[in-house]
Amino acid sequence: APLRAQLREEILGRLDALANEWVRRVAAVVGYSDALPGGGAGNSTSNSSSNSSIGGAAIFTFGSYRLGVHGPGADIDTLCVGPCFVERAAHFFGDEPHCFQRMLSDLPDCAELQPVPDSFVPVIKMRLGGISIDLLYAKLSVPTLPRDLNIAAPSTLRGADDQSVRSLNGCRVTDTILAEVPPPPLAFRAALRFIKLWAERRGVSDIEMEMEMGGGGEREREKVFERERNKLKTHFFQKKNFKKNS
């Protein structure tokens, strides 16, 4: 298990490096190189603006992996956040050398690559280094990403298209859940694993459902669980009252 966890972290690190290289390629194609820190010919001067920015893309995780309740063979739900000049249709998907889909397909250990551009939440599914990954993309309305990017902040959604908002929702919901859990999260994770098992047996936990809800599957499972728990409470007290009256 520790080796598998280390492998996941290494894969996410590679994905982050590739995403930043992808943004640099797109910037060169669309003429935005000067907007990136250290970009542009002869640009060796760093200022406070460039020092407060990262290269161009950021990778976040959400869902079961981020919550710490993923299984050994579970997918890692992943979000790539990019700047305003990197388009989903033209640059995230596609077979051109500057497209992320193409760059992923060129990796020797990338298998089962499946782009799904027309889904409610567009996604690239793949196995990278033997790890299953579902990768979403969100475009922000800024030319560079701040180093302290907080995707839970309401300002992050300003100017974002609907598909980016839905893609961001997975991370935002996960962060909201974690913020409400008092430390240590051991009891929460044990309860969530129970909920996930309960949901799987009722067919309400597959990734398609989460994609349709913009990554809000964990929240929806909580709602369903609360409803069923209330039913159980009602049933329990009805039986208890029946025994008292009999």
Side-chain angles (χ1 to χ4, degrees):
L3 291 177
R4 192 71 173 175
Q6 181 181 351
L7 176 60
R8 290 192 182 96
E9 290 299 315
E10 291 175 357
I11 293 299
L12 290 172
R14 287 179 54 197
L15 198 60
D16 183 78
L18 188 69
N20 279 278
E21 172 60 25
W22 165 57
V23 170
R24 284 190 286 270
R25 288 192 190 184
V26 173
V29 169
V30 301
Y32 241 95
S33 295
D34 291 339
L36 296 180
N43 183 6
S44 59
T45 303
S46 63
N47 52 36
S48 59
S49 174
S50 62
N51 285 336
S52 64
S53 300
I54 56 180
I59 294 292
F60 297 88
T61 60
F62 62 98
S64 299
Y65 182 81
R66 177 91 163 82
L67 291 169
V69 294
H70 58 287
D75 296 344
I76 301 180
D77 296 319
T78 312
L79 170 69
C80 176
V81 178
C84 60
F85 58 87
V86 181
E87 301 289 344
R88 182 181 295 99
H91 306 132
F92 186 67
F93 296 104
D95 295 323
E96 298 296 325
H98 60 272
C99 294
F100 206 10
Q101 176 185 332
R102 168 67 180 276
M103 294 175 68
L104 288 167
S105 68
D106 288 342
L107 298 176
D109 58 345
C110 182
E112 301 175 22
L113 186 69
Q114 180 186 1
V116 192
D118 298 323
S119 63
F120 188 66
V121 181
V123 59
I124 293 179
K125 297 171 176 284
M126 65 186 135
R127 290 184 66 85
L128 185 59
I131 303 296
S132 296
I133 294 176
D134 289 338
L135 179 64
L136 313 181
Y137 176 67
K139 180 185 74 169
L140 303 188
S141 59
V142 293
T144 55
L145 305 186
R147 188 177 300 278
D148 57 349
L149 175 63
N150 178 12
I151 57 177
S155 59
T156 304
L157 302 179
R158 189 175 300 127
D161 59 84
D162 290 344
Q163 290 176 322
S164 291
V165 170
R166 289 194 289 266
S167 297
L168 287 162
N169 276 348
C171 288
R172 290 167 61 84
V173 167
T174 302
D175 288 346
T176 299
I177 293 174
L178 290 174
E180 295 174 355
V181 176
L186 300 179
F188 165 75
R189 287 174 176 168
L192 186 54
R193 286 191 179 97
F194 169 78
I195 294 172
K196 285 171 64 66
L197 178 61
W198 172 89
E200 287 170 3
R201 293 184 176 181
R202 286 157 179 79
V204 293
S205 64
D206 54 25
I207 188 64
E208 285 74 16
M209 183 194 74
E210 295 194 18
M211 290 295 103
E212 288 179 2
M213 291 185 296
E218 300 293 345
R219 277 292 194 196
E220 187 64 20
R221 280 197 284 273
E222 286 186 4
K223 292 178 183 177
V224 175
F225 177 70
E226 185 67 24
R227 185 177 66 241
E228 294 295 325
R229 188 178 67 174
N230 289 335
K231 289 181 181 178
L232 288 173
K233 280 183 179 179
T234 302
H235 181 68
F236 172 78
F237 285 116
Q238 283 177 344
K239 291 187 69 175
K240 191 174 182 179
N241 290 333
F242 174 78
K243 288 181 179 179
K244 283 183 177 181
N245 296 330
S246 61

